Amino acid sequence: MFDVAKIREDFPILKREVNGYPLIYFDNAATTQKPKVVIDAIVDYYSNYNANIHRGVHTLSQEATEAYENARKKIQTHFNIAKSHEVIFTSGTTHGINLVATGFTSLLKKDDEIIVSALEHHSNIVPWQMLCESTGAILKVIPMSLEGELDMDTYDKLLNTKTKIVFVNHVSNTLGTINPIQEIIDKAHVVNAAVLIDGAQATPHIKPDLQALNCDFYVCSSHKLCGPTGVGMLYGKEEWLQKLPPYQGGGEMIAEVTFEKTTYAGLPHKFEAGTPNICGGIAFGAALDYMNHLGFDAISQYEDELIQYATAQLLAIDGLKIYGTAKHKTSVISFNIEGIHPYDIGTILDKLGIAVRTGRHCAQPIMDFYKIPGTVRASFSFYNTKEEVDKLVEGVKRAKSMLQ
Ligand SMILES: *Cc1c(COP(=O)(O)O)cnc(C)c1O
């Protein structure tokens, strides 16, 4: 039994009001709220053992180092990663993708091909376009259907021996589609292409087994799964992380520095230049502990019920259209009402204390595909309730009667 009322007690922010109404937070795809255990981990670090890591002989530095490295191990265990040095701390998904895309500059030549999907966040498009500009490689796109599913037949045709890397999201932040990443990975490996999975939107709902998936890179952001902003993880297979050059130079990532020649540190430090977000890493670990305590099976089962309920309620509104009706989807409902700008709906919902996202959701190609300026996006977390969905539906109806 998933006790939502009890779980909501863990989130201090859910007690606040917005514009005189209890906060209803449906912008979880942008960032999630934080449970008290995560906030406590942050306060505890700065109150009791703040110090720089990996360098000091003193007690505080040792405690901080141990907590930070312990967080790395929690990430390793959570994602079933073979070696802890295959876990690289980043500032988030965007940083992880840029690290890999920039690293590939030295591995690609003119007319090599790289493959993206039509369903991506700008974070998983732009760094690769920059890679193409600097190397002369060619970007190919797996198209999508009206339902928001990838066209896998075309993917088969795009793959060939010139393909060097494929990068797709596990779950679309705009439509909620769960992509067939196992098939994408397996087929890419037949032509020896590497695969990077953007897990930013999947990791709050699904616990991926990275050894079973056998992807080459997987990236995510702590803040989308109840942890703090400014920290995330890049998983890379050891052989790939050895092959890629360092991303940034500085302290921590070196073995020896002289003015004649510098040698680089081993993994994972090679990719972790400078003082990291120590507190963020530790709190990321606390967030994973919290979510594992709830259990990802229970979380996804509850969220699936919620999204099915919300979909049925919203579709009952005359003139409302949902974008993204894939067979496998999670946590996101993107919609519009005929004749009304999404921004206007979002503004009226905010007056009622309901937080949704409006606009292009960092995925302009999807909006262009549907020929719309944007959508209203309600995105769900395990702390949302059916009562909140009812309020959302009432709010959308109110907005419709005011604006039409
Ligand atoms: C949020 C998101 C990103 C970007 O994450 P940041 O934390 O802003 O770096 C990338 N891809 C997807 C699918 C996302 O949902």
Side-chain angles (χ1 to χ4, degrees):
M1 176 54 197
F2 201 73
D3 190 348
V4 184
K6 185 158 168 287
I7 288 164
R8 289 176 65 85
E9 293 288 313
D10 297 337
F11 291 80
I13 208 169
L14 297 179
K15 293 189 182 70
R16 74 161 280 184
E17 294 192 343
V18 171
N19 296 323
Y21 293 88
L23 166 68
I24 295 180
Y25 188 76
F26 282 137
D27 196 17
N28 295 288
T31 198
T32 51
Q33 299 304 340
K34 318 306 172 199
K36 186 145 187 310
V37 283
V38 168
I39 299 166
D40 286 349
I42 294 167
V43 172
D44 182 40
Y45 170 76
Y46 283 118
S47 307
N48 295 313
Y49 61 103
N50 169 54
N52 211 331
I53 53 169
H54 296 145
R55 296 166 239 239
V57 291
H58 62 82
T59 302
L60 293 191
S61 175
Q62 285 169 15
E63 286 178 10
T65 303
E66 196 179 309
Y68 189 67
E69 289 307 321
N70 195 26
R72 194 191 306 274
K73 293 214 178 73
K74 286 178 186 179
I75 295 169
Q76 180 195 357
T77 307
H78 177 80
F79 290 100
N80 191 28
I81 290 167
K83 297 165 188 155
S84 67
H85 60 251
E86 293 175 320
V87 177
I88 310 295
F89 277 113
T90 62
S91 68
T93 302
T94 303
H95 176 192
I97 295 170
N98 275 280
L99 188 160
V100 176
T102 306
F104 263 77
T105 310
S106 60
L107 304 178
L108 295 193
K109 56 184 189 313
K110 195 170 172 316
D111 296 332
D112 277 344
E113 297 178 1
I114 62 176
I115 300 181
V116 68
S117 97
L119 274 178
E120 301 304 310
H121 189 285
H122 295 161
S123 284
N124 203 22
I125 301 174
V126 183
W128 304 103
Q129 289 175 318
M130 292 161 71
L131 172 64
C132 288
E133 273 170 30
S134 63
T135 59
I138 298 161
L139 185 70
K140 303 271 175 172
V141 184
I142 312 168
M144 60 185 268
S145 68
L146 273 176
E147 291 75 25
E149 291 175 338
L150 293 181
D151 173 353
M152 295 299 284
D153 291 337
T154 303
Y155 176 57
D156 289 343
K157 290 184 193 121
L158 290 177
L159 280 170
N160 66 71
T161 52
K162 281 195 271 181
T163 311
K164 292 297 178 273
I165 185 164
V166 178
F167 32 98
V168 295
N169 56 34
H170 190 167
V171 169
S172 157
N173 70 306
T174 305
L175 304 180
T177 311
I178 304 174
N179 287 315
I181 58 168
Q182 188 69 70
E183 186 184 342
I184 289 171
I185 293 163
D186 292 345
K187 286 182 167 164
H189 284 167
V190 173
V191 297
N192 286 323
V195 181
L196 176 140
I197 303 294
D198 167 358
Q201 208 57 241
T203 45
H205 315 287
I206 298 167
K207 182 173 177 167
D209 178 335
L210 297 189
Q211 284 186 77
L213 273 175
N214 197 25
C215 57
D216 303 285
F217 303 99
Y218 195 99
V219 289
C220 70
S221 298
S222 141
H223 72 95
K224 292 197 176 164
L225 55 158
C226 296
T229 53
V231 65
M233 79 112 191
L234 158 67
Y235 158 76
K237 270 189 195 158
E238 184 176 31
E239 50 176 302
W240 276 109
L241 293 178
Q242 301 286 13
K243 233 182 278 182
L244 293 187
Y247 179 52
Q248 290 181 318
E252 194 78 18
M253 54 74 73
I254 47 83
E256 299 289 338
V257 177
T258 66
F259 284 109
E260 288 70 41
K261 182 169 172 55
T262 288
T263 52
Y264 304 128
L267 297 173
H269 306 293
K270 173 182 163 188
F271 292 109
E272 295 182 347
T275 301
N277 185 349
I278 302 165
C279 177
I282 295 167
F284 183 9
L288 287 178
D289 283 347
Y290 176 78
M291 293 193 66
N292 278 308
H293 178 69
L294 297 179
F296 275 80
D297 287 344
I299 286 173
S300 62
Q301 194 188 338
Y302 176 76
E303 288 174 345
D304 283 350
E305 276 169 34
L306 203 59
I307 193 175
Q308 275 167 28
Y309 179 74
T311 302
Q313 301 297 308
L314 284 168
L315 280 178
I317 299 173
D318 201 32
L320 186 142
K321 177 170 176 179
I322 290 180
Y323 297 88
T325 50
K327 265 198 290 304
H328 300 289
K329 71 176 272 187
T330 179
S331 69
V332 172
I333 302 180
S334 253
F335 65 91
N336 274 332
I337 294 181
E338 215 180 329
I340 306 180
H341 199 280
Y343 179 82
D344 295 332
I345 298 175
T347 306
I348 290 175
L349 290 175
D350 180 58
K351 295 265 189 304
L352 301 169
I354 303 170
V356 295
R357 194 72 150 198
T358 65
R360 303 191 299 210
H361 319 299
C362 298
Q364 191 183 341
I366 300 179
M367 301 303 132
D368 292 349
F369 174 79
Y370 287 119
K371 300 190 173 57
I372 51 176
T375 66
V376 181
R377 180 184 70 184
S379 52
F380 302 85
S381 176
F382 56 82
Y383 46 67
N384 291 125
T385 65
K386 284 189 179 166
E387 292 71 32
E388 289 181 321
V389 170
D390 292 340
K391 291 265 169 26
L392 170 70
V393 171
E394 266 172 48
V396 172
K397 283 183 183 158
R398 165 118 57 124
K400 181 171 147 65
S401 67
M402 288 169 73
L403 296 166
Q404 251 178 0

